[in-house]
Structure formats: C-alpha cells, structure tokens
Amino acid sequence: MGVSQGTVRKALDELAAENLLVRRQGRGTFVAEHDERRILFQFFKLVPDHGERRFPESAVLNVTVAPADAEESAALAIEPAAGVIRIRRLRALDGRPLILETLSLPQKVFAGLDRAEIPNNLYSLFASRYGITIARARERLKAVALSADDAAALSVATGTPALRIDRIALALDGMPVERRLSLCLTEEAHYLSDLR
C-alpha cells in the first residue's frame, strides 16, 4: 500500500476504537459483526430502571414502499420522492411494549427487503445481505406527547409523554442508510449514553 507499518497500526487502532474492528488475543484482528451484544451497547440505549441492559423483542406491524417525504429525503440524502421502504415495528422488554419504531430505508440500497422476513437484528441483515456495515449513528432526542394512533400501538393513553429519538445510521463511507424514528415509553426505563 506504500505506507509505513506504524501508519497501518495507527489506522487499525482507530478502527478498533470506533468498534469497527475487534482484536482477539492470540487470534488476530477481525471486522466487527453486528451481533446482539455489540448492538446492545453501541446502538440500543434504552435500559430498564430496575434490571440489566438487554436486547428487546420486536414485532413487525407493517412494511410498505412509498415515495420519500421531505424529511426522509433530507435525512437519507436521496432525491425527493425516491422510493423508501418503511418498517413499522413494536419493541418490547419482558413482554411490555416500550418502543414504537418507524424505519425508513432507501429502496435502491435495500432492494427486496420489503418482501423479506424482517429479523430483530436489522444491522446484521444489512451487513450479511447488502454488504452495508453501520459504522455510527446520529441521534436527536425530544420529549413529545403521543398521538392517538401511536398511543394505541403502545397500549397507553393518548397524550402519554414519550421520548422521541430521531436516528440517522451511517455506513462505513458516511452514507446515510437508515432513518429510525423511535417513540419510547420511559416510565420504567431510561436512555443511557456512555460518553468518552
């Protein structure tokens, strides 16, 4: 590659610090996979108030394909009205609905996903089927009152307070590949972020 060994070591150290590479003593350095443990600590930030951090169960409510709205177009850096796959799902901890999510994915990037079975761990699917590794995400948080439809999906009263998380997930090359709007009930859970 025409670079010094020190430069390569430094690059590998940086990739490991960003959780893109995993070092295993005596075995070598490997590309990190999006297993549930990694996603749990890197991308899933809602934690029960009384209990351990764990991965939620998911139930897909519907999957649709439609033209991107203005917010999706801007978030995903796609042409206005380009096709997006929307996945709406309910996520629960201990059988209790906690999160209502709407994921918007560029149809051009994830062709055929709308006809596939949607697993709980989407980032692993993105990597294995589409060759897209989620490297990082940007989130915006805001307190909101739930609409009647959203409250019904979460089995709570209209107007119940919720935490709205608007996440843009970025691939290794920095391309936005997912917009995820999550409405989270926080009466018995909290958002935990480890800052470095």
Side-chain angles (χ1 to χ4, degrees), residues 20 34 43 72-79 104-111 123 126-127 130-138 167-180:
L20 298 174
H34 283 292
F43 295 108
E72 291 166 329
S73 175
L76 296 170
I78 58 177
E79 292 294 319
S104 302
L105 308 165
Q107 185 181 19
K108 183 177 178 181
V109 175
F110 296 103
Y123 290 176
F126 293 172
Y130 297 98
I132 295 174
T133 298
I134 302 300
R136 61 190 180 93
R138 274 192 315 264
R167 173 192 294 172
I168 308 299
L170 306 164
L172 287 172
D173 63 0
M175 177 178 75
V177 293
E178 176 198 71
R179 180 184 189 213
R180 183 180 301 219

Side-chain angles (χ1 to χ4, degrees), residues 24-179:
R24 295 193 178 112
Q25 186 73 25
R27 293 183 57 208
T29 302
F30 303 88
V31 174
E33 294 181 17
H34 283 292
D35 60 17
E36 287 191 4
R37 181 169 169 73
R38 177 174 177 227
I39 290 175
L40 181 61
F41 289 98
Q42 187 174 2
F43 295 108
F44 189 74
K45 304 291 187 180
L46 216 58
V47 180
D49 288 339
H50 304 291
E52 292 182 25
R53 180 181 263 181
R54 55 194 186 279
F55 208 61
E57 308 92 41
S58 296
V60 174
L61 302 176
N62 60 50
V63 179
T64 58
V65 177
D69 63 26
E71 285 185 3
E72 291 166 329
S73 175
L76 296 170
I78 58 177
E79 292 294 319
V84 293
I85 299 168
R86 288 192 194 110
I87 301 169
R88 189 166 163 91
R89 66 184 182 171
L90 196 58
R91 305 193 86 185
L93 286 173
D94 300 324
R96 181 175 182 265
L98 191 66
I99 305 166
L100 179 62
E101 298 187 315
T102 303
L103 293 88
S104 302
L105 308 165
Q107 185 181 19
K108 183 177 178 181
V109 175
F110 296 103
L113 183 60
D114 56 305
R115 296 180 303 278
E117 185 175 330
I118 306 297
N120 194 17
N121 182 343
L122 279 169
Y123 290 176
S124 180
L125 175 74
F126 293 172
S128 64
R129 182 180 287 176
Y130 297 98
I132 295 174
T133 298
I134 302 300
R136 61 190 180 93
R138 274 192 315 264
E139 292 184 336
R140 293 185 308 167
L141 284 67
K142 186 174 191 169
V144 296
L146 292 175
S147 68
D149 288 344
D150 294 337
L154 286 163
S155 301
V156 294
T158 300
T160 296
L163 179 65
R164 180 180 185 259
I165 303 172
D166 187 348
R167 173 192 294 172
I168 308 299
L170 306 164
L172 287 172
D173 63 0
M175 177 178 75
V177 293
E178 176 198 71
R179 180 184 189 213

